Amino acid sequence: MPIQRPRSRYAQVADDLREAIKRGTYGPGAALPSQPELARKYGLTQTSINRAIGLLETEGLIRTERGIGSFVLDIPTVKRVRRIPPRGRGSGSSFAEGLQKAGLKPTTKLVQAEAIVPPPDVARRLELGEGELALIRKREMFADGRPVQLAASYVPMSAAGDVGIAFPDTGPSGLYERLAERGHRVVRFMEEIESRRPTEEEADFLKIGKSQHVLEVVRFAFDRVGRPLDVVINVFPTQLWKLTYEWAAEE
Amino acid sequence: MPIQRPRSRYAQVADDLREAIKRGTYGPGAALPSQPELARKYGLTQTSINRAIGLLETEGLIRTERGIGSFVLDIPTVKRVRRIPPRGRGSGSSFAEGLQKAGLKPTTKLVQAEAIVPPPDVARRLELGEGELALIRKREMFADGRPVQLAASYVPMSAAGDVGIAFPDTGPSGLYERLAERGHRVVRFMEEIESRRPTEEEADFLKIGKSQHVLEVVRFAFDRVGRPLDVVINVFPTQLWKLTYEWAAEE
DNA sequence: TAGTGGTCTAGACCACTGC
DNA sequence: CAGTGGTCTAGACCACTAA
């Protein structure tokens, strides 16, 4: 590969590596050659190679870990559809459904379930006063072992009554039934969607670069008088998911 | 501003400039000090300053022009709600509504309206055969003169019958009425949402960097037998918009 | 310890803009 | 022309990981 002038050299190196990745020379998960090695190969200094690597990282093609190396990320081929609102049964676990249909094995890990003072943005959304408690349930979700989604749900303790309401852990529809038994019926849902850069922890868990984006979907459930009964915050990488909403035209 | 060790120096410079921009020290449109000047101020080399500037550019805070300088871009403050499907009238122009509520003056420019052979992805979505025509209507949208959205709608000519159906240009609800008069009633809507990197043209029109993301919302309108009557592709920068969907719980 | 990626300097040259 | 941002080197040191 001859290095030519008009285009910057590090950009040409990035081009070359990008091509190699697309050709499959470095498949998903494979490590790129080390920076000193690439420097020798292209006849540049490590500084320039480092910059090329940075470019690919920004583009979301690779992820580099300090002291280890740079690794090719999965190339987003087919996006998994997440259907919202769900057709038919309640607002059940569209997560598992979607993945199973795609031939992937969904697994979920409950990492937190307790009564806490929620972070201020959640408290505001739940219309909680200073220091009021909420039941948090935090989950990590995987498809064939690969981390694909983070979910945190918050229910005001005033509505939940007891931490035990979270168990057995049957997903939102089970929770809503138990809330209904306590006199809190959900009559309306709302979802807010935005795309943003991931936090450090999110990027770490989802194994994505800092420059890739995540979709944050916040679902609110309201009772008859418009009070929020729970807030669910879902976060997933934009490359993996596509959202779908569907509704009937008015007559 | 003391430069300290644990965090990289160029990142600290970026932090400092970011703060200054947020504080208003450098307002929208203002030029940052030149790189040599910043290098003197922070006691670093131009190379490091250049890197800090690159960071801010990636984040979409500034825009730099070679041989001229770096300039602060508009900072998006409040995100706008876009859509609440089931409430109020049809799927009318939520674009204008949302912006007016935000105190911004919306303007729209129709840049194309004719019968064409649509691009393959659109043809597939409209279930069109090879070479079948569709009516395209392409719009550019502005808020207080700033480009904020791109929209392209496609209607199969077999349903539209005539290019004239697009006029007067009264937005989707007007179009749907005229389609209904021709025997094509819309009974169902669907929207697909994804976040992706902008194409070159999109980045250019929306005045965003290549590393920022856009939301693509594709709305389908279906008739009674599930045939697509039109497809509308909306593209806008993720920083400017927040999407909202709302629906009633099932009984 | 050796190997990885990350940062930084000093100095240089280039391309571009606007006067 | 002087001033701007962009690239590159040679060499150095650091932080981190794994054996």
Side-chain angles (χ1 to χ4, degrees):
Chain A
M1 193 206 73
I3 298 262
Q4 290 173 347
R5 277 321 335 274
R7 193 150 162 62
S8 66
R9 305 186 192 182
Y10 75 88
Q12 292 178 59
V13 171
D15 289 347
D16 201 48
L17 291 174
R18 201 182 295 109
E19 275 307 307
I21 290 171
K22 274 204 184 120
R23 269 199 315 272
T25 309
Y26 309 112
L32 294 185
S34 76
Q35 291 183 7
E37 199 171 327
L38 289 173
R40 277 195 302 280
K41 175 178 170 190
Y42 290 106
L44 302 174
T45 53
Q46 189 215 339
T47 309
S48 297
I49 297 297
N50 184 286
R51 196 157 177 191
I53 294 288
L55 248 190
L56 296 181
E57 198 173 8
T58 295
E59 292 172 14
L61 273 178
I62 64 175
R63 179 180 157 81
T64 108
E65 292 178 44
R66 199 194 187 104
I68 314 228
S70 296
F71 303 90
V72 178
L73 291 175
D74 292 335
I75 297 184
T77 49
V78 188
K79 301 207 180 191
R80 309 303 175 198
V81 171
R82 196 182 133 91
R83 180 181 287 289
I84 302 166
R87 321 244 278 161
R89 282 280 302 114
S91 61
S93 178
S94 57
F95 164 72
E97 281 171 31
L99 287 183
Q100 265 163 355
K101 209 172 291 177
L104 300 171
K105 200 176 111 239
T107 43
T108 296
K109 186 173 153 200
L110 184 66
V111 294
Q112 192 183 7
E114 53 182 327
I116 59 159
V117 176
D121 58 317
V122 173
R124 185 180 43 73
R125 283 165 160 158
L126 286 176
E127 299 173 8
L128 293 184
E130 186 85 20
E132 272 191 83
L133 292 177
L135 169 61
I136 181 178
R137 290 183 305 154
K138 218 170 199 167
R139 288 189 186 73
E140 296 174 343
M141 295 160 171
F142 305 83
D144 281 356
R146 184 204 193 294
V148 291
Q149 184 176 345
L150 282 167
S153 92
Y154 300 85
V155 184
M157 283 306 284
S158 57
D162 189 282
V163 173
I165 198 171
F167 306 96
D169 187 19
T170 50
S173 47
L175 176 71
Y176 294 149
E177 276 169 28
R178 270 164 269 157
L179 279 173
E181 288 163 11
R182 306 181 118 271
H184 301 289
R185 259 252 311 292
V186 175
V187 303
R188 194 163 56 89
F189 292 103
M190 181 173 85
E191 287 194 349
E192 291 183 350
I193 303 164
E194 66 183 300
S195 169
R196 57 170 173 79
R197 289 176 209 288
T199 64
E200 191 123 359
E201 304 93 291
E202 288 165 351
D204 198 49
F205 171 71
L206 296 169
K207 295 273 198 300
I208 58 177
K210 274 171 299 205
S211 66
Q212 295 183 257
H213 278 210
V214 292
L215 279 171
E216 180 182 277
V217 177
V218 182
R219 189 179 68 228
F220 298 77
F222 297 101
D223 68 9
R224 180 170 20 210
V225 294
R227 269 180 40 112
L229 287 177
D230 89 333
V231 170
V232 185
I233 303 175
N234 291 291
V235 175
F236 33 85
T238 52
Q239 310 92 356
L240 259 36
W241 297 90
K242 183 191 253 181
L243 303 180
T244 304
Y245 291 82
E246 205 170 342
W247 66 95
E250 295 177 4
E251 290 304 310
Chain B
M1 193 207 72
I3 299 263
Q4 290 172 347
R5 278 318 337 275
R7 192 150 164 65
S8 64
R9 304 185 193 183
Y10 76 88
Q12 291 177 58
V13 171
D15 289 347
D16 200 47
L17 292 174
R18 201 182 295 109
E19 273 309 306
I21 290 172
K22 274 207 185 115
R23 270 199 314 273
T25 310
Y26 309 111
L32 294 185
S34 75
Q35 292 185 6
E37 199 170 328
L38 288 172
R40 276 195 303 277
K41 174 177 171 190
Y42 290 105
L44 302 174
T45 53
Q46 190 217 336
T47 309
S48 296
I49 298 297
N50 184 287
R51 198 159 176 190
I53 294 288
L55 249 191
L56 296 181
E57 197 171 10
T58 295
E59 291 172 16
L61 272 178
I62 64 173
R63 188 171 126 82
T64 109
E65 291 178 46
R66 200 193 186 104
I68 314 226
S70 297
F71 303 91
V72 178
L73 292 175
D74 292 336
I75 300 178
T77 49
V78 190
K79 307 205 178 195
R80 298 304 161 203
V81 169
R82 183 178 144 71
R83 168 181 311 291
I84 302 176
R87 318 263 275 185
R89 279 284 299 122
S91 60
S93 177
S94 57
F95 164 72
E97 282 171 31
L99 288 182
Q100 265 163 354
K101 210 172 291 178
L104 302 170
K105 202 177 107 235
T107 45
T108 298
K109 186 174 155 200
L110 185 66
V111 294
Q112 192 184 7
E114 55 183 326
I116 59 159
V117 176
D121 58 316
V122 172
R124 184 179 45 73
R125 282 165 159 157
L126 286 177
E127 298 173 8
L128 293 185
E130 187 85 19
E132 274 191 82
L133 292 177
L135 169 62
I136 182 179
R137 290 182 305 155
K138 217 170 202 167
R139 288 189 187 74
E140 295 174 344
M141 296 160 169
F142 306 82
D144 282 355
R146 185 204 193 290
V148 291
Q149 183 177 345
L150 283 167
S153 93
Y154 299 86
V155 184
M157 283 308 283
S158 57
D162 188 281
V163 174
I165 197 171
F167 305 97
D169 186 21
T170 51
S173 47
L175 175 72
Y176 295 147
E177 276 170 28
R178 271 164 267 157
L179 279 172
E181 287 163 12
R182 305 180 118 273
H184 301 289
R185 256 252 313 291
V186 175
V187 302
R188 194 163 56 87
F189 291 103
M190 182 173 83
E191 286 193 349
E192 290 183 351
I193 301 163
E194 65 184 299
S195 169
R196 57 171 174 79
R197 289 173 208 289
T199 65
E200 193 120 0
E201 305 93 290
E202 288 166 350
D204 196 50
F205 171 71
L206 295 171
K207 296 271 200 303
I208 58 178
K210 271 174 297 202
S211 65
Q212 296 183 253
H213 278 211
V214 293
L215 278 172
E216 180 183 275
V217 177
V218 183
R219 189 181 68 229
F220 298 77
F222 297 101
D223 68 9
R224 180 170 18 212
V225 295
R227 269 180 38 111
L229 288 178
D230 89 332
V231 170
V232 185
I233 302 176
N234 291 291
V235 176
F236 34 82
T238 52
Q239 310 92 355
L240 292 177
W241 298 87
K242 181 191 259 182
L243 305 180
T244 302
Y245 292 83
E246 201 170 344
W247 67 95
E250 296 174 5
E251 290 306 310

